[in-house]
Amino acid sequence: MNTPTPSRLRPALLALPLWLLACGGGSDTTTPTEPLPPTPVACAPFADSFGRSLSCDDMRQLPGAIWGFVEPGSDAATGAGDAGADGTVAQDALAGGGPLANAVVEFKDQRSRVVRATTDANGYYRISLRGLTPPLTATVLSWPAWKSVMVTPLVRAPAHRKFYTVNLTSLTHALASDMARSAGLAGVDALQPPHVAAQAQAVPALVAALNDPLTQPLALAGLRRPFDPLTSPFTADGLSRYDRVLRSISFTRSAAGDIAVSSLSAAGAMFAGGCEVPSFTGVPAQGGGYATMNMRSDGGLCTLFLSGDPEGKVPAQGGKLLTQPSLGSVVFGPGNRMAYTPLYGSSGTDVFSYEMSAILSGETIPLVVQVTVNVSPPAPR
């Protein structure tokens, strides 16, 4: 309810004692002065994560609002007490990339109250958070179950008249997995709002740690560190910087549902047709050699077995980059393999070199390999 302005209060207060005196005397016929009705305060439009305007009516028609509960200090006339979340649910390269359409997103607060919304064809959703008490967890109710987090410093109470960006991707799942481990939980599925509250101060460090394996893809995409995958708006169209990074990295998943960023899959053939390596199975000659790879930047990676002899029978040791690629990233992993992954959407010729060593006939041989990669644009979908 709006309080009248002081200029409107003054005539009403002056008229009140005059009217009372007139009634007491019984002889004055002065008509009491009625106070002017308060001027309605317009509910200013809301802006979503992309700056698009929503009216208060639009806001109140969003799925998820708990109308039976109003935060202290809220005002239905002005929209104070209203808050919302929006974001994108997108798949990584392992799942084929792109938006996850018609996915049900569930938010749960610390009182175990639940609200849900469904993504559109672009993997985008909007939901009202009115009536929820933070911190919150958000989950995609489909396999794999992606979780995200909203922590106490981000939302003290849903009374800020704004939208909070909450994306749900493999990167935010990895962040939630790290949070679960930091909380001493068995897996990400055990992560609940109270754990989120307890880990609030650890979130910046967890985000920073998540950036470490993303150094090269982030740099190629022009994204500054620390990059927060949870609160950075993006469109899952293969063109945004976030989406290009998401489609250019791979993940390993544990039996408990936790995932971690990884440029090498535990399985050898992660992406069928990811690359072609003509006439190259290892180092073609002692002391080093050259390799040529042809691949598309569909988000797949190309793996090479690091060998110290032409037949590929002697594993090489200690792979280390000498020169960085300009279109993709390189990582050395288990199983004596080197993996090259181009940034999604990139094309052109890339060149990098690496060194390693092998023990042949009891002698340690230094090996240097220069790799030329011909990267084609993503295949038409």
Side-chain angles (χ1 to χ4, degrees), residues 24-43:
S27 59
D28 196 293
T29 58
T30 303
T31 302
T33 302
E34 295 291 337
L36 295 174
T39 303
V41 178
C43 179

Side-chain angles (χ1 to χ4, degrees), residues 14 24 30 42 47 50 84 107 120 125 127 137 189 201 204 211 227 237 274 280 288-289 318 328 350 377:
L14 291 174
T30 303
F50 294 94
F107 280 79
D120 63 15
Y125 75 91
I127 192 169
T137 58
D189 289 340
Q201 301 302 320
N211 277 234
F227 169 70
D237 55 6
F280 182 80
D350 206 357

